[in-house]
Amino acid sequence: MRYFEGKVVLITGASSGIGRATAFAFAGAGARLLLCARRLKLLRELEAPLMEAGAAAISLFRLDVRDRATVDAAIAGLPEDWKAIDVLVNNAGLSRGLSRLYEDDPENWDEMIDTNVKGLLAVTRAVVPGMVARNAGHVINLGSTAGHLTYANGAVYCATKAAEKAISEGLKIDLMGTAVRVTSVDPGMVETEFSRVRFRGDEERAAKVYEKITPLKPEDIADAVLWAVTRPAHVNIHSIVLTTIDQANSTVFHRHG
Ligand code: NDP
Ligand code: 8X3
């Protein structure tokens, strides 16, 4: 169904994984896609397949969400016909490392906090005033089961997702009296580049994360996003927590065999 015919959807971190799958889901719904990430080359490769999948139009730009001045300039500088953002998907995010807090490299903390928390805040701060002025819009934030239950060696990543949960709740409160909706989509394990990024390209270690488990696919998350944004206008889905059948929470898994 072309629910989003003509509507503008901004997705951060659209070059890979959940962001990319979400772009395809909105393309199928006829949206006009504003896609950003740091790897512009990967975004460019998506342009033709996304148009083929049904996108009404696509605009790509390079963006590092950690750079607040650039975020502000990018949103303020959007062409007139792209300014009215209907859906913001705050998806850009990452984990770095999996080790004891007291032994970890503080650079990892900076990268996760700057991206997952401050980056999400920067994009939200730049986009939401326009939604309030138009009294229309929907913010989807990518949370995680990690924000609900902290796991060993992941304190700071989990903290960033706990922060995302608090920010989503706070934003919803602050938007009361407007028609702007807020949803936190909180997946468990999804097979994307996530673990390769966490382990800085160590393919073997990344593959072990999903060993003997049927992980969620990025398309499963995109499906949840699309469901949340297609509810009637008076319905606000606050959060969606979804895991593979092989996962109960962020610490309990069932590995086959
Ligand atoms: P991927 O690594 O596949 O994708 C992450 C995306 O974020 C990439 O497109 C990357 O693009 C972008 N990104 C990272 N840093 C920045 C930055 N500074 N500025 C702009 N874009 C950035 O991982 P996922 O698709 O799995 O992750 C997407 C979101 O989902 C994250 O917020 C993650 O925390 C969350 N999540 C993931 C789960 C999982 O198990 N995979 C489970 C629960 C939540 P580029 O490198 O080109 O900038
Ligand atoms: C990503 C899922 O459990 O690897 O948020 O942290 S997990």
Side-chain angles (χ1 to χ4, degrees):
M1 286 273 227
R2 294 181 70 81
Y3 288 110
F4 280 86
E5 193 78 61
K7 302 241 173 165
V8 177
V9 178
L10 168 60
I11 303 173
T12 67
S15 59
S16 170
I18 295 168
R20 180 172 55 196
T22 303
F24 276 97
F26 278 107
R32 305 177 67 227
L33 298 173
L34 258 179
L35 306 178
C36 57
R38 292 164 303 176
R39 290 171 294 174
L40 190 58
K41 184 173 174 287
L42 291 185
L43 292 177
R44 288 203 178 109
E45 286 168 13
L46 292 178
E47 203 165 3
L50 282 168
M51 288 303 289
E52 211 167 297
I58 299 177
S59 177
L60 309 173
F61 59 104
R62 188 190 177 280
L63 188 71
D64 185 333
V65 297
R66 293 172 298 179
D67 180 350
R68 197 164 65 221
T70 306
V71 169
D72 288 344
I75 301 302
L78 286 172
E80 275 313 311
D81 56 337
W82 286 95
K83 270 197 193 317
I85 295 168
D86 294 288
V87 178
L88 162 62
V89 185
N90 271 318
N91 164 77
L94 82 180
S95 63
R96 285 296 197 190
L98 191 66
S99 58
R100 292 188 182 102
L101 181 70
Y102 60 85
E103 293 169 346
D104 201 1
D105 179 351
E107 295 284 335
N108 288 337
W109 309 342
D110 287 344
E111 202 173 349
M112 290 186 279
I113 293 168
D114 289 350
T115 309
N116 303 358
V117 182
K118 293 170 75 179
L120 180 147
L121 285 170
V123 179
T124 302
R125 181 67 183 85
V127 171
V128 171
M131 291 181 168
V132 172
R134 293 184 297 278
N135 200 31
H138 199 143
V139 179
I140 300 278
N141 291 330
L142 258 297
S144 171
T145 49
H148 296 252
L149 181 64
T150 305
Y151 53 79
N153 303 316
V156 176
Y157 177 73
C158 293
T160 67
K161 292 302 179 180
E164 176 282 334
K165 184 170 177 289
I167 290 164
S168 297
E169 290 167 0
L171 181 62
K172 172 61 192 157
I173 295 167
D174 294 345
L175 285 166
M176 290 303 285
T178 79
V180 182
R181 300 189 284 179
V182 182
T183 304
S184 179
V185 175
D186 305 349
M189 199 179 268
V190 190
E191 193 163 18
T192 62
E193 288 184 6
F194 181 85
S195 293
R196 263 176 273 156
V197 171
R198 166 168 259 173
F199 301 126
R200 297 187 184 275
D202 183 338
E203 297 282 347
E204 207 176 316
R205 198 167 171 204
K208 273 208 169 354
V209 174
Y210 312 107
E211 200 172 64
K212 296 187 181 164
I213 275 187
T214 308
L216 290 173
K217 300 190 290 287
E219 290 74 19
D220 298 322
I221 317 311
D223 193 35
V225 171
L226 208 65
W227 180 79
V229 297
T230 50
R231 295 313 87 209
H234 69 285
V235 178
N236 190 108
I237 303 297
H238 290 249
S239 68
I240 300 176
V241 183
L242 67 163
T243 66
T244 159
I245 192 73
D246 296 329
Q247 181 172 12
N249 57 39
S250 60
T251 64
V252 178
F253 303 94
H254 170 70
R255 297 202 187 259
H256 308 168

